[in-house]
Amino acid sequence: MASHIGRRKFLATLLGGAAAAWPLAARAQQPATPVIGLLSSRSSDEAARSVAALRAGLDKAGYIEGQNVAIEYRWAEGHYDRLPALAVDLTRRRVAVIVAMGGEPSALAAKAATQTIPIVFNSGGDPVEAGLVASLNRPGGNATGVSMLFVELGPKQLELLQELVSKIAVIAVLVNPTFVSAEKEAKDALAAGRALGKQVHIVSASSESEIDTAFGDLVKNRTSALMVAPDPFLFARREHLVALAARHAVPTIYFSREFPEAGGLMSYGTSIAEVYQQVGIYAGRILKGEKPADLPVVQPTKFELVINVKTAKALGLEIPDKLLALADEVIE
């Protein structure tokens, strides 16, 4: 009788121990939550809308931050020279994917830091020319993403500006000299100016104080109009730029709708929200096992013309019916 009781106690102890060990074993077999490293030349507050669009893209791909994916954020706050160290830090964290936000500066820093971790970027210009991919259809290597074609749109932006401000003598083009595409932006703007029969003056700024100085020079030189060239730093300073353009009464065309939404005169370019949503979708597809080398670089097929009528009136400008008809959005 005692031997039966002993056996029952032994079995109960054995089974109880197995039951207690089972949850630990199950937890050990569950895959770890993948981590995305977000590397940006911008700042967290200013880039909030872009990050929301990125999360929407991840959601479409089946990933929700805090549930089945984590994101490590690294912000350069407009200082491009900080990006290389931030990129290296993310590689040491062994993230599953690096999302390089804020154009070529972030993408090139990520590419220099790793040849193995997948990278999804957004590029304002030609990613082949920048050395990010081998070709648009077959990127090769460890990087792919979205080309916004911003740099290619300069001539069209100058043409639209001339249609709105008919009596243009001199057009200034504001570029950030530290941006990788600055030289091409300036060269294309000068060529477009010659084609339109207009004098183009290149002004440079890579800090807020230099932006202030540039606008002072515009007023001194009696510049008729301004085009702001694509650049993550200048995009992050959009409210400052819009305020200066209003204060000095300089008709200005920008490269994204966020500028006229903030009170700028007009913009022509790609939807940045759609770009970051596509970046999120690609990041999700890579987390599921697809390779960057096999994912073609996406190029936009639609460009938005946005005009702020209130700002035009404040500048004493009459918007031609042709431009109003072409506009994708007119802000009253």
Side-chain angles (χ1 to χ4, degrees), residues 156-175:
K156 181 64 176 176
Q157 289 164 347
L158 287 180
E159 186 184 317
L160 290 166
L161 187 57
Q162 182 188 239
E163 285 191 36
L164 179 55
V165 189
S166 54
K167 295 179 181 177
I168 292 180
V170 180
I171 303 172
V173 177
L174 178 64
V175 301

Side-chain angles (χ1 to χ4, degrees), residues 223-303:
T223 304
S224 310
L226 172 67
M227 182 184 93
V228 175
D231 168 67
F233 168 77
L234 295 176
F235 180 73
R237 301 314 186 272
R238 55 191 175 275
E239 291 186 3
H240 187 55
L241 286 165
V242 165
L244 286 171
R247 186 185 311 159
H248 297 295
V250 180
T252 307
I253 188 166
Y254 308 91
F255 53 89
S256 77
R257 68 180 299 122
E258 283 80 0
F259 287 90
E261 285 176 351
L265 176 60
M266 66 191 298
S267 67
Y268 182 71
T270 314
S271 166
I272 290 180
E274 288 181 13
V275 165
Y276 282 119
Q277 188 170 118
Q278 181 59 51
V279 167
I281 290 169
Y282 260 17
R285 287 175 65 175
I286 289 169
L287 288 177
K288 288 179 177 176
E290 293 190 61
K291 305 294 182 189
D294 302 327
L295 293 172
V297 173
V298 177
Q299 291 185 292
T301 55
K302 184 178 181 297
F303 303 100

Side-chain angles (χ1 to χ4, degrees), residues 200-223:
V200 170
H201 176 53
I202 305 297
V203 290
S204 300
S206 58
S207 67
E208 286 210 6
S209 62
E210 287 179 359
I211 290 173
D212 293 337
T213 302
F215 268 88
D217 291 341
L218 297 185
V219 175
K220 274 186 206 171
N221 297 327
R222 297 185 178 180
T223 304

Side-chain angles (χ1 to χ4, degrees), residues 111 114-119 132-135 138-144 291-295:
K111 186 83 171 168
T114 178
Q115 295 181 340
T116 54
I117 297 172
I119 298 164
L132 292 169
V133 295
S135 73
R138 302 285 297 178
N142 63 320
T144 187
K291 305 294 182 189
D294 302 327
L295 293 172

Side-chain angles (χ1 to χ4, degrees), residues 80-131:
Y80 296 162
D81 57 342
R82 295 178 185 173
L83 288 164
L86 294 174
V88 169
D89 182 46
L90 286 174
T91 64
R92 288 175 180 154
R93 301 279 297 173
R94 298 186 182 276
V95 295
V97 182
I98 293 177
V99 167
M101 283 178 59
E104 286 87 344
S106 303
L108 289 169
K111 186 83 171 168
T114 178
Q115 295 181 340
T116 54
I117 297 172
I119 298 164
V120 185
F121 60 79
N122 72 289
S123 164
D126 183 348
V128 177
E129 197 174 286

